[in-house]
Amino acid sequence: MQASISRVKVHLSRWLAGSLLGLLAAGTVFAGNWLPLAKDGVHDPRSPAAKQLQEPKEALSRLTPDTTGNQVRWVLSLEKGEINPREKLLPETKVRKLDQDILLNLKGGMPIVRFPHKQHTEWLDCSNCHDQLFEQKTGATKISMFNILQGEQCGVCHGAVAFPLTECYRCHSVVRPGQTTNLPTHMNPQFHKPGGVGP
Amino acid sequence: MIARLVVAAIALALAFFVDIPEAGAEYADVVINKQAEKNGMRPVVFPHWFHRIRFRCKVCHAELGFKMRAGANDVTMAAIIDGKFCGACHNNDIAWSVEKCDLCHSGKRGLPSGIYGGHETSGPGRW
């Protein structure tokens, strides 16, 4: 009797340890764990809003998933038409878009950065970046990861509201001639190519 | 001995389960508390995720003139009622009006203004 109880205990503790590790591993691999507003640490659970506002999970779980940030591929979600956010409020506003890629970091060691104006101008107006953050002339503004990590330049959005700076290869996406890559699948730069398929 | 280990394992497991939901705000939530608590209201929580499903960045950050830096905008209720900033939509036309105080003023008391959400943003940078 005693022996069988302790055997059960051993099984139980192994099961617990195993499922704990499994859960932790799953948490790092799978997205989709949006917190309820009442438990997110910023909303007051006693506020009437906690019961009335839309929950992140309800809205975001329907969109193309990501492994980071809001766990949504916002650019893809817009391209696919999963969301259709308004472009302007005022009738007189001119909506400006530009389809032009800029290659940056041509001499560094990381893969070259391809900055696509197209995806950025779907969301943003020219004036959001020019000329406060970046001069319009290519090469006129010295861009550095130091500044970006400080929340300047690209870091005004990337790391705060757009995908974070942990996703190196989403920007450093153009492999140099002769460069070998060994990228994690979720950072696969093929994703950027026309018709590229995301994870 | 094994019983103690099991209890410890359960406690550890429970600690994980209790800790996980406290992880933090949704990515890019903004707490706005320059004026609110001084005036007896809860801080405002602005969820970027909710708004960007419905509006592109340029609507608020170009048309409405919100600077792209938490804390850089002086958003007062007077300006909102005047149709500026949040008041361009929160006017009982596009979205709920200023009478629904608690829907925006929904933050935990004592939270400083700033952008919240996700371990990625809590590094040594300005965010």
Side-chain angles (χ1 to χ4, degrees):
Chain A
M1 185 62 187
Q2 197 68 39
S4 73
I5 288 175
S6 72
R7 220 171 20 240
V8 167
K9 283 176 180 168
V10 169
H11 276 295
L12 190 66
S13 59
R14 277 184 191 160
W15 178 82
L16 267 173
S19 39
L20 199 63
L21 283 174
L23 271 172
L24 287 173
T28 58
V29 175
F30 296 109
N33 48 350
W34 296 276
L35 295 177
L37 295 178
K39 290 185 177 170
D40 68 3
V42 288
H43 286 91
D44 182 349
R46 287 162 304 179
S47 160
K51 291 193 189 71
Q52 290 184 49
L53 297 177
Q54 186 180 33
E55 292 288 344
K57 188 172 190 172
E58 193 211 329
L60 303 182
S61 60
R62 300 170 186 186
L63 309 179
T64 303
D66 197 355
T67 51
T68 189
N70 294 120
Q71 303 169 61
V72 171
R73 284 270 188 177
W74 287 106
V75 165
L76 262 189
S77 197
L78 181 66
E79 283 174 359
K80 288 181 181 176
E82 293 171 348
I83 56 173
N84 184 23
R86 279 174 73 157
E87 296 190 300
K88 61 177 180 175
L89 280 177
L90 312 170
E92 64 271 25
T93 300
K94 191 169 182 302
V95 177
R96 302 186 289 180
K97 295 184 185 178
L98 176 65
D99 185 2
Q100 181 192 57
D101 287 351
I102 307 289
L103 296 179
L104 301 159
N105 183 34
L106 294 174
K107 292 176 185 167
M110 285 284 283
I112 292 164
V113 172
R114 182 177 73 87
F115 171 85
H117 269 101
K118 185 172 188 291
Q119 281 80 355
H120 285 82
T121 54
E122 283 295 333
W123 292 96
L124 292 155
D125 183 62
C126 315
S127 65
N128 290 128
C129 304
H130 300 303
D131 297 324
Q132 297 295 315
L133 300 178
F134 304 104
E135 298 278 347
Q136 294 196 32
K137 188 176 180 332
T138 306
T141 302
K142 175 111 178 87
I143 301 168
S144 75
M145 282 310 300
F146 181 81
N147 289 338
I148 295 168
L149 286 158
Q150 295 285 318
E152 304 291 343
Q153 299 180 331
C154 319
V156 169
C157 296
H158 286 285
V161 65
F163 66 75
L165 303 172
T166 47
E167 309 305 295
C168 318
Y169 297 106
R170 286 195 200 171
C171 301
H172 290 272
S173 62
V174 181
V175 173
R176 293 170 202 280
Q179 197 169 39
T180 54
T181 53
N182 184 19
L183 309 179
T185 50
H186 73 283
M187 290 181 174
N188 188 346
Q190 295 300 320
F191 183 76
H192 284 297
K193 304 279 166 59
V197 180
Chain B
M1 179 60 193
I2 288 171
R4 274 188 207 165
L5 275 176
V6 171
V7 169
I10 291 171
L12 192 67
L14 283 177
F16 271 111
F17 284 118
V18 170
D19 278 347
I20 288 167
E22 300 295 327
E26 189 52 44
Y27 191 64
D29 278 354
V30 183
V31 170
I32 305 165
N33 198 8
K34 265 189 183 174
Q35 308 286 338
E37 258 185 293
K38 266 194 281 181
N39 293 294
M41 296 297 292
R42 290 185 178 93
V44 170
V45 180
F46 172 84
H48 264 109
W49 65 266
F50 180 93
H51 288 83
R52 70 183 296 182
I53 290 173
R54 293 151 179 87
F55 298 93
R56 302 188 195 217
C57 322
K58 58 178 91 176
V59 172
C60 301
H61 290 296
E63 287 189 292
L64 302 185
F66 276 100
K67 291 177 193 152
M68 298 199 291
R69 181 71 73 192
N73 302 288
D74 285 311
V75 186
T76 61
M77 284 314 300
I80 292 169
I81 290 163
D82 201 25
K84 304 213 169 66
F85 295 124
C86 322
C89 292
H90 285 280
N91 52 12
N92 211 15
D93 181 16
I94 297 174
W96 66 66
S97 78
V98 290
E99 291 140 44
K100 306 235 179 189
C101 318
D102 284 331
L103 291 186
C104 302
H105 290 273
S106 60
K108 274 188 176 166
R109 291 184 198 277
L111 283 181
S113 295
I115 193 148
Y116 285 70
H119 60 282
E120 295 91 350
T121 58
S122 57
R126 192 161 169 183
W127 295 118

